Amino acid sequence: MSILRPHLPDAAAFAARVQRQAQAGYRLAGFRHDRQWQGLIGFRLGENLLYGKFLYVDDLVVEPSSQNGGIGKSLIEYVRKYALTVDCANLVLDTGLYMPYAQRFYYRQGLLAKGMRFVESLNGVNNA
């Protein structure tokens, strides 16, 4: 996850944040090969007036040496199937405007760009 979220200083900070987020429904799934994590996906369920019941992907990362091997596709498919089993109407995620390869990947997975997110840092730290 440090590849995607380098602002987290160490494994302890990562674990503490995941534990806090888990209290609000965050889940983490991944793919391991030879006891090494090759890909992770963090997600949660939500509901709002725009999407109805939805599954939101907070984090998706694949180890650079394992990219283009189908791991990201498998992780997206995993959460898509899970979302259907809990009657979600939509699968939603955000990606940075500066990430054209990620955007191409998401298009290939059947996700379409529907909007733009606006963010204001309230503590002076830009994590995205």
Side-chain angles (χ1 to χ4, degrees):
M1 190 62 77
S2 63
I3 295 165
L4 182 64
R5 306 290 181 225
H7 60 279
L8 297 175
D10 53 38
F14 166 73
R17 185 154 318 174
V18 167
Q19 288 175 348
R20 285 192 308 273
Q21 289 176 213
Q23 294 174 4
Y26 179 82
R27 297 172 186 217
L28 195 58
F31 177 82
R32 250 188 338 190
H33 179 70
D34 290 336
R35 297 172 43 187
Q36 295 282 59
W37 289 104
Q38 301 297 308
L40 292 170
I41 190 164
F43 61 97
R44 57 194 156 98
L45 298 176
E47 186 169 1
N48 63 22
L49 296 175
L50 177 60
Y51 298 120
K53 188 173 180 184
F54 65 94
L55 184 143
Y56 183 81
V57 174
D58 288 273
D59 310 293
L60 175 60
V61 63
V62 175
E63 178 72 33
S65 64
S66 298
Q67 290 177 355
N68 299 313
I71 294 171
K73 180 179 180 177
S74 294
L75 292 170
I76 289 285
E77 188 57 30
Y78 171 79
V79 297
R80 182 180 285 127
K81 286 179 181 176
Y82 176 73
L84 289 169
T85 67
V86 294
D87 297 320
C88 288
N90 290 283
L91 172 64
V92 180
L93 62 80
D94 294 320
T95 190
L97 294 174
Y98 59 92
M99 300 176 73
Y101 295 120
Q103 293 163 22
R104 282 192 352 213
F105 169 76
Y106 295 131
Y107 280 121
R108 287 194 311 268
Q109 304 316 306
L111 288 94
L112 300 175
K114 296 278 189 165
M116 200 179 221
R117 172 158 291 174
F118 294 88
V119 177
E120 176 186 6
S121 174
L122 300 175
N123 63 3
V125 177
N126 183 5
N127 294 334

